[in-house]
Amino acid sequence: MEETRISDSKIEKEEEEANEEAEAEVEIWNYIFGFCNMATVKCAIELGIADAIDNHHQGLMTLSELSSAVGCTDPSYLYRVMRLLVHQKIFKEKATVHGTTGYAHTPLSCRLLRRGDNTNSMADFVLVESSPAMLAPLQCLSNLVRVNTKNNSAFEEIHGVGNQFWKYAVANPGHSKLFTDALSSDARVVIPRIIEMCPEVFDGVKSLVDVGGGNGTTIGLLVKAFPWIKGINFDLPHVASVAPECDGVTHVGGDMFAYVPKVDAVIMKWILHDWNDEECIKILKKCREAIPKDKGKVIILDAVIGQPNEDKFEGVKLMLDIVIMAHTNTGKERTSSEWNSILVKAGFSHYVIKSIHAIYSIIVAFP
């Protein structure tokens, strides 16, 4: 009996090892050619495939119809792109009334729309992160990891020493607009969720400044939802000067390391992860100085690594941390204990972390 148990255990172990080997054989090829997923999604956005299907009266297009709509001279190339996108469940195939194969939307492909009022679109974010300027630094990760002097980022290694991400944006208006549009698309996704799930965060707030607010999308959405709030969009002069007019919002150019406009509350979305602890403390102190001691608050929208319970966004947060490592000199995503450290050192008396089931958490800090 004992020999039988040993034999069964050995067989099970061998089967388990064989399955792991089989999975590894497939998985390594997925890594080798994984960049093709991003490339075909980018291709779909640039061709306007999602918009073409959305604009079609039936929301279902044959290959011939789609080829004509997006201007393809040889449908066979488009077919091969769509074949992969369907396999990846980005689009889906459905039979038309004539029995031919047509392409239709999925919840994922709807996020590739560039026109209309689709608030879930992340097309601009795909385009900026798949741009040569953003991808190239990731080719230098090993150099960064091997010789990390904290003086130069991988971004600078590719684009020239001293050419930090923000300086590059100033010198390249096209890239700056692409980046700003990407953050705006993200704001249109996450801000309505915050308004719905955590409206109490804005109770008693009559004036609000968005530090690093880009073109004002975030503050614009908040002022529209809470019309009693006077909004200020605060960013670098070259960004604030071209921000579109928005009811209830004033655009102000400045340097968050020097000052933050006086308000009841400050909001920052994806700002602090660009900077090291010492720089974050400086920014947070300027924010604390800008708000009243009795009722002020600083609202931080940023990732929190390693949160309790199962977090389906944890892997995304860890990938984002690699992006930040490559694109900035000393930025990083932080754990709850790391957030605690910088908030306490910046002089805040207490704070709360709220989960909104997204890549972000809401951190509300009080003076």
Side-chain angles (χ1 to χ4, degrees), residues 12-48:
E12 288 175 2
K13 184 178 180 180
E14 289 175 349
E15 289 178 347
E16 182 180 347
E17 290 175 350
N19 288 335
E20 289 176 350
E21 283 294 329
E23 290 175 6
E25 183 177 2
V26 174
E27 196 63 24
I28 191 61
W29 284 110
N30 284 327
Y31 280 105
I32 292 169
F33 295 121
F35 64 90
C36 289
N37 289 327
M38 173 179 277
T40 49
V41 169
K42 180 182 181 182
C43 174
I45 294 170
E46 292 176 335
L47 289 175

Side-chain angles (χ1 to χ4, degrees), residues 103-120:
Y103 300 106
H105 272 302
T106 68
L108 185 52
S109 67
C110 288
R111 285 162 168 79
L112 306 184
L113 290 164
R114 302 200 73 186
R115 297 191 298 271
D117 58 356
N118 177 41
T119 57
N120 285 329

Side-chain angles (χ1 to χ4, degrees), residues 320-332:
L320 175 60
D321 184 54
I322 297 298
V323 172
I324 294 299
M325 184 171 72
H327 290 166
T328 70
N329 291 57
T330 53
K332 64 178 180 179

Side-chain angles (χ1 to χ4, degrees), residues 218-233:
T218 292
I219 194 69
L221 290 168
L222 290 171
V223 167
K224 185 177 180 180
F226 309 110
W228 60 85
I229 293 179
K230 175 184 176 183
I232 298 175
N233 180 46

